[in-house]
Amino acid sequence: MNTLRQFAVLLVTVAIGLSSCQKAVGKVTPVKSDFTFLKKLGIETTGGIVLPDSIDREHIDSRHDAAFMLDFDKQAVPLLDEVLDLTTNPDQRDVMNYILGIKALPGYFTLVAYERAYGDGTAAYVGIYDRQGRLTDFMNCGKWFREEPAWQGEDNQCLVERRKSLLKFVAPGEFVIVRDQSLYSGIVDTTQFESTKTGCKWKIVNELHYRVDAQGHIMLERTVCNKSQNVPATSAFTDKVDEAIYLPRSSGQESLDRLNRLATSSGMVRFESLDNATDAFNGIYDLALALSDRYQYDPQLVLSWMASHRGPGGSRLTRVFEFVFAYSMIPKEVLVKDIESMQDPEARRYIERLTAQWGPRDAVG
């Protein structure tokens, strides 16, 4: 099924098996909308792209047709460059950016649900904009949907990793994102390239409750988590990293503090080499993905945090930060430009010394 179409169903329906994380939600009170800033960018704001308060089958079926692919220069850059570094990072031109839905919020704020497609992957985001189209907050939502084989054996038996997120509005200015991660056994249909689920190995379900305040900031009110008893340690660690990733941009250094605590957790303190092919390596890879995500949001915040948390006693994220550039998650030339923009001379000199020898592992010379 097309990824965008899958999001349509996930956005408005709760998957079977999530009943432990759900509650009845009544009709959301309509809020007066002002989508002028989107209209000025040539984005149609009528029809299926506007998320309704009550969802019906007709709206679900129209979601795929309503998805709006953004023109990179004319639409994606004005809406997303501030947090995704579209103009500085040349790799971003290969990413397709979609608006999957918009929602009017109190105070004339607008919620925009995005999906970004790059190669074989996708990423989901939510942005909050004021009446003039200024971005007031932004948040990574993981993936609206991903399902891929983890193992395939004889007789077409397989193990399948599944990740999905859904978003639902529960009151004016309030929404919930439900994240479901699981590993299940199945049988592969080689003609349809699909699998039929035969059993669940483990499952993690997080329900995150958010409120948009009067400044347009996304506030995480509470989290409800349900896990099966047999979740492996590596998956549980990744879930903890995800919790830091899915904090909104306005949370500031809180997400970095969380990642730093995870980097000092059991199993991670033994990490010393970028060539360490162990669970610690996998753990630092997860942390590096999260740190690169925060860096794209606000590079100066990350650089100043690194400068103020020096040495093993202050930060275990230093090695993770090196990993980000060793594996080209962010180009080194982007780092160099961002360091030049640091306002504190002493902090800038420290970061220059720290990162002088960093670079891609596959660099020549």
Side-chain angles (χ1 to χ4, degrees), residues 325-350:
F325 300 97
Y327 284 85
S328 301
M329 295 177 180
I330 295 173
K332 177 64 180 292
E333 55 267 29
V334 172
L335 172 65
V336 172
K337 291 180 180 178
D338 291 332
I339 293 175
E340 292 174 351
S341 299
M342 295 181 69
Q343 298 300 307
D344 184 331
E346 196 279 330
R348 183 172 63 250
R349 287 192 292 269
Y350 169 75

Side-chain angles (χ1 to χ4, degrees), residues 256-257 260-261 264 305-306 308-318 350:
L256 299 175
D257 293 337
N260 190 42
R261 289 194 293 270
T264 61
W305 190 95
M306 290 291 170
S308 62
H309 294 74
R310 305 185 186 186
S315 170
R316 291 291 298 183
L317 284 184
T318 301
Y350 169 75

Side-chain angles (χ1 to χ4, degrees), residues 184-197:
Y184 69 85
S185 56
I187 301 295
V188 176
D189 183 339
T190 56
T191 60
Q192 300 294 324
F193 300 101
E194 296 179 350
S195 60
T196 301
K197 183 176 179 179

Side-chain angles (χ1 to χ4, degrees), residues 61-79:
D61 292 340
S62 69
R63 172 61 52 200
H64 171 62
D65 296 331
F68 188 97
M69 181 175 175
L70 298 174
D71 176 273
F72 183 86
D73 293 306
K74 296 179 180 179
Q75 296 164 334
V77 169
L79 290 172

